[in-house]
């Protein structure tokens, strides 16, 4: 079929069930080859989450102009609209279905990796539109492939016309941001002071270490890591030079060689977070069992489409979650160690990935070299502390100093909605519902790296963070016009909100334990009574 073909919703659904990856972009139907799905620099899931949906706003927000110019080559026609909007389908991956290669052939077949549980109620926590994934042990018998019912969204309270209007308004807002020159990187006024700050902290760390002031050196090193990660973040979004190869090269130097973390892992993880923000089954940034559960739905041992495993709400998780509000800052103090684990597991798996999904060969190889280099120099720093006790103190202090960054990041999402409002929800509606800013004075914004303005950042991921404050003025105006809430918390109030959410879930876990205990006691009493009457 040619590019002049008009596709009905049913025809698109049939092609998706036949195994094609079809995505709607500005009224065009794009057919994404499997080879490109595997090779997508933003990760495979970033595409799979939009099969059958309109991804116009997300594509515009996350891709450079030169990348978007290549999109027409994938168009196979236009789609039929309803009230000037595409009526979305549910992507198979969001119902637990993926395509897997058939060994020894070039073909693929459907594979159920998890079972979809659709909400049977309509509450704030579990709206009628919600689809969560659980283990296949709950799968209905006889279902071996997805069908039309799998792709049909559950009922929603959202109005397609309203969501389409918000989407159109966002496109106009995006153009205003472009016209205002906010995508232009302020190299001198933005990164100039930051480079001075990085250099000063590095020199202070080396100077203190040379004079055997090891704890002072550790603090300065931790502060440098804390500040450097903001630039790595920008580079991962291609928000500095706006050239993938250059930004990736610089980010590997910062993240891998200096920080010991994989920028490749972070980019893939972070892209998914931006696309399915705060979805319990799909957003890895809120999937922290057994340590944290930000919603009671995690008590159902959900399946993670990102980690490809069940997140068990077992006895270990019950213990930790029941006191998670008390452990929050302790866990955050050691959060960097979890980043190491995720980074190295990611690179290990990529070593066996023969598809282009590994990215440019030099990128993966250079990351491995960078991590070896990091542990060589940092290991030498620890060895030079003179004793294992001091080396341990240096390790823990340098890592704990970075914890405010992790606290800041979770403040922007942990206290916000984790409900799934379905594929009808527009990009701006979803981002503003699930994200909040941390209010702070402009003079101390550098402490947060400018990323305390998370609402604007989530709407414009590629925007240089030094321009987020100016862009936020436009976003707030947009929110007022569209009847959307631009959420903001002060740092102290934001912490209180997060602790309140964690305590609320913890209290429910404790309540479940009490109910189970009472039921167990009643069962024992009943059993004893039966024995006495026997």
């Amino acid at each position: 079929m040619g590019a002049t073909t008009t596709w009905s919703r049913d025809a698109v659904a049939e092609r998706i069930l036949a195994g094609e990856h079809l995505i709607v972009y500005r009224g065009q139907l794009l057919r994404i080859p499997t080879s490109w799905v595997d090779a997508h620099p933003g990760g495979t899931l970033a595409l799979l989450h939009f099969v059958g949906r309109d991804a116009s706003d997300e594509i515009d927000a996350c891709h450079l102009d030169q990348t978007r110019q290549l999109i027409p080559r994938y168009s196979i026609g236009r789609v039929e609209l309803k009230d000037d909007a595409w009526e979305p389908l549910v992507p198979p991956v969001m119902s637990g279905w993926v395509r897997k290669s058939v060994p020894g052939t070039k073909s693929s077949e459907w594979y159920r990796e998890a079972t979809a549980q659709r909400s049977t109620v309509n509450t704030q926590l579990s709206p009628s539109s919600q689809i969560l994934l659980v283990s296949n042990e709950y799968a209905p018998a006889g279902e071996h492939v997805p069908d039309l019912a799998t792709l049909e969204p559950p009922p929603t309270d959202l109005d397609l016309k309203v969501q389409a209007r918000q989407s159109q308004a966002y496109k106009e807002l995006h153009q205003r941001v472009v016209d205002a020159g906010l995508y232009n990187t302020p190299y001198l006024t933005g990164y100039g002071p930051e480079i001075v700050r990085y250099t000063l902290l590095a020199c202070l760390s080396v100077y203190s270490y040379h004079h055997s002031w090891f704890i002072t050196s550790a603090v300065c090193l931790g502060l440098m890591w804390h500040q450097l990660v903001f630039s790595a973040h920008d580079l991962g979004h291609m928000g500095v030079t706006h050239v993938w190869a250059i930004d990736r090269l610089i980010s590997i130097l910062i993240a891998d060689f200096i920080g010991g973390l994989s920028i490749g892992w972070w980019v893939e993880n972070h892209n998914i977070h931006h696309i399915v923000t705060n979805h319990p089954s799909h957003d890895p940034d809120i999937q922290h069992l057994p340590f944290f559960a930000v919603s009671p739905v995690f008590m159902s041992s959900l399946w993670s489409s990102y980690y490809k495993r069940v997140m068990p709400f077992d006895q270990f998780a019950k213990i930790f979650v029941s006191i998670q509000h008390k452990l929050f800052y302790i866990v955050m103090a050691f959060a960097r160690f979890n980043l190491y684990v995720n980074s190295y597991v990611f690179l290990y798996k990529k070593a066996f990935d023969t598809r282009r999904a590994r990215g440019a060969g030099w990128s993966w190889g250079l990351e491995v070299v960078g991590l070896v280099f990091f542990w060589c120099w940092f290991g030498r720093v620890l060895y030079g502390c003179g004793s294992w006790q001091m080396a341990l103190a240096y390790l823990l202090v340098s890592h704990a100093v970075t914890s405010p960054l992790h606290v800041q990041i979770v403040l922007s999402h942990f206290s916000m909605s984790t409900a799934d409002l379905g594929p009808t929800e527009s990009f701006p509606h979803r981002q503003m519902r699930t994200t909040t800013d941390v209010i702070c004075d402009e003079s101390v914004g550098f402490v947060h790296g400018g990323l305390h303005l998370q609402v604007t950042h989530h709407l414009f991921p590629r925007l240089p963070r030094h321009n987020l404050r100016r862009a936020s003025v436009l976003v707030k105006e947009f929110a007022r016009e569209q009847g959307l809430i631009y959420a903001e918390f002060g740092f102290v109030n934001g912490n209180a909100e997060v602790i309140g959410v964690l305590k609320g879930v913890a209290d429910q876990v404790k309540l479940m334990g009490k109910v189970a205990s009472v039921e167990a006691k009643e069962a024992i009493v009943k059993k004893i009574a039966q024995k006495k009457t026997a």
Side-chain angles (χ1 to χ4, degrees), residues 150-360:
T150 307
L151 303 184
E152 199 62 43
T156 178
D157 292 335
L158 297 178
D159 186 291
L160 182 60
K161 286 185 178 180
V162 173
Q163 298 302 305
R165 185 195 70 208
Q166 292 173 353
S167 177
Q168 180 58 39
Y170 169 77
K171 292 178 176 65
E172 295 169 1
L173 170 65
H174 198 171
Q175 189 58 51
R176 290 177 65 191
V177 169
V178 172
D179 293 342
L182 297 180
Y183 274 103
N184 298 328
T185 304
Y187 292 107
L188 186 60
T189 58
Y191 289 102
E194 293 193 356
I195 292 174
V196 172
R197 194 178 304 127
Y198 305 153
T199 304
L200 177 61
L201 289 170
C203 290
L204 286 174
S205 181
V206 172
Y207 181 84
S208 299
Y209 188 88
H210 180 72
H211 287 79
S212 298
W213 305 334
F214 295 120
I215 299 303
T216 302
S217 175
V219 170
C220 291
L221 178 60
L223 289 175
M224 185 187 73
W225 281 340
H226 172 271
Q227 288 291 302
L228 271 174
V229 76
F230 297 129
S231 290
H233 170 276
D234 297 351
L235 292 158
H237 277 297
M238 294 183 292
V240 181
T241 70
H242 310 293
V243 177
W244 184 89
I246 298 177
D247 279 4
R248 180 55 60 93
L249 183 62
I250 301 173
S251 64
I252 289 176
L253 174 63
I254 292 175
D256 296 76
F257 281 77
I258 300 177
L261 304 174
S262 166
I263 192 65
W265 160 74
W266 180 85
V267 168
E268 185 175 275
N269 177 285
H270 198 64
N271 282 341
I272 298 302
H273 163 66
H274 270 271
I275 286 170
V276 286
T277 310
N278 268 23
H279 193 298
S281 285
H282 305 296
D283 182 2
D285 275 15
I286 64 168
Q287 296 174 345
H288 298 301
L289 282 177
F291 299 107
F292 296 131
V294 296
S295 169
V297 300
F298 283 101
M299 299 179 193
S300 301
S301 294
L302 301 179
W303 168 271
S304 168
S305 64
Y306 179 82
Y307 292 111
K308 302 300 181 186
R309 61 174 174 80
V310 170
M311 299 175 284
F313 192 71
D314 51 21
Q315 194 59 40
F316 189 68
K318 290 178 182 178
I319 294 173
F320 270 90
V321 173
S322 67
I323 54 175
Q324 61 181 355
H325 53 298
K326 299 178 180 178
L327 297 177
F328 176 65
Y329 295 107
I330 297 175
V331 175
M332 288 294 102
F334 301 103
R336 193 176 180 88
F337 292 102
N338 183 53
L339 304 186
Y340 290 141
V341 173
N342 287 328
S343 292
Y344 306 154
V345 169
F346 171 83
L347 289 176
Y348 174 78
K349 290 181 178 179
K350 287 300 179 184
F352 301 95
D353 191 346
T354 58
R355 303 171 302 178
R356 285 178 58 205
R358 182 187 294 186

Side-chain angles (χ1 to χ4, degrees), residues 413-445:
H413 299 291
F414 272 22
S415 63
M416 301 302 286
S417 171
T418 59
D420 173 19
L421 299 190
T424 299
E425 185 175 26
S426 68
F427 173 66
H429 189 282
R430 181 171 63 255
Q431 298 306 330
M432 301 191 77
R433 175 177 61 87
T434 58
T435 311
T436 180
D437 280 358
V438 177
I439 303 172
C440 75
D441 188 85
E442 189 172 0
S443 62
V444 295

Side-chain angles (χ1 to χ4, degrees), residues 329-401:
Y329 295 107
I330 297 175
V331 175
M332 288 294 102
F334 301 103
R336 193 176 180 88
F337 292 102
N338 183 53
L339 304 186
Y340 290 141
V341 173
N342 287 328
S343 292
Y344 306 154
V345 169
F346 171 83
L347 289 176
Y348 174 78
K349 290 181 178 179
K350 287 300 179 184
F352 301 95
D353 191 346
T354 58
R355 303 171 302 178
R356 285 178 58 205
R358 182 187 294 186
W362 65 264
S363 176
W364 180 87
L366 191 59
E367 284 206 74
V368 173
V369 172
L371 296 181
V372 172
F373 177 83
F374 169 80
W375 285 110
C376 284
W377 76 258
F378 188 58
R380 182 64 184 84
V381 167
L382 296 178
Y383 180 78
C385 288
S387 68
W388 70 267
Q389 294 95 333
M390 181 54 69
L392 180 61
Y394 194 103
L395 175 70
L396 296 179
V397 170
S398 62
H399 285 62
V401 167

